[in-house]
Amino acid sequence: MSEYSVSQLVPHSGKMSLLDEIIDYGDEWLEASVRIHAGAMFADDKGVPAWVGLEYLAQAVGAYAGLQERKNGGQPKLGFLLGSRKYESSDAYFLHGEVLKIRVEVEIQAENGLSSFNCILNSPRVKAEARLNVFQPEDADKFLQEAGQ
């Protein structure tokens, strides 16, 4: 188990903070978990639709970025999911009671804030994977103001 909680690494809060636990991490990877239950965000009577797995993966990438900030004495910052490549899930739903293990690994990390991650989400029953492209500007508020002009 990691010495960091999800809330220490991910800027999401309340029901939009979807990860349950940071399991472990290394210099270029992070592992987290999500428990699927009836009260989970996006849950219906079947479970959680597999398309939500993209957000689980993105928040794990966010946790990795937050970890890097913490290790350098900073605070987690906002980042943006630019897109995904080849998101595939072996099932249409993550079922109630399943615990999903998520692993994100840095593929490319550029100085300008652009990064690419290989991501896998699995349980004994289901597997989903994708490559996520993300952007983390140095100052997200300034970036959003300039983008809106």
Side-chain angles (χ1 to χ4, degrees):
M1 183 156 143
S2 167
E3 75 261 28
Y4 293 103
S5 68
V6 173
S7 64
Q8 292 175 303
L9 301 180
V10 181
H12 295 69
S13 62
K15 287 186 130 187
M16 283 310 299
S17 180
L18 303 181
L19 302 178
D20 289 317
E21 181 181 15
I22 305 303
I23 298 170
D24 201 4
Y25 57 85
D27 289 340
E28 296 195 359
W29 59 273
L30 179 133
E31 292 180 347
S33 67
V34 173
R35 186 177 61 83
I36 306 299
H37 56 88
M41 189 70 154
F42 305 108
D44 61 24
D45 59 337
K46 292 181 184 178
V48 174
W51 56 262
V52 178
L54 274 172
E55 182 62 20
Y56 295 152
L57 298 175
Q59 287 195 22
V61 168
Y64 173 83
L67 175 67
Q68 301 313 304
E69 292 296 329
R70 291 273 184 203
K71 287 166 75 174
N72 292 321
Q75 296 290 318
K77 300 186 296 190
L78 287 179
F80 302 95
L81 175 61
L82 298 179
S84 66
R85 295 191 62 188
K86 298 183 180 183
Y87 179 71
E88 295 180 3
S89 177
S90 63
D91 199 294
Y93 270 86
F94 306 128
L95 302 179
H96 295 294
E98 279 187 308
V99 175
L100 306 176
K101 181 179 174 184
I102 300 159
R103 183 177 175 98
V104 297
E105 297 179 359
V106 176
E107 180 179 16
I108 300 168
Q109 196 161 25
E111 293 292 321
N112 64 358
L114 291 170
S115 299
S116 183
F117 288 79
N118 289 316
C119 308
I120 298 174
L121 175 155
N122 62 22
S123 75
R125 188 190 67 82
V126 67
K127 180 178 181 180
E129 55 189 323
R131 178 180 299 155
L132 299 186
N133 298 315
V134 298
F135 175 59
Q136 186 174 43
E138 192 61 40
D139 183 338
D141 290 333
K142 181 179 176 185
F143 173 78
L144 290 171
Q145 286 178 343
E146 290 174 356
Q149 293 179 4

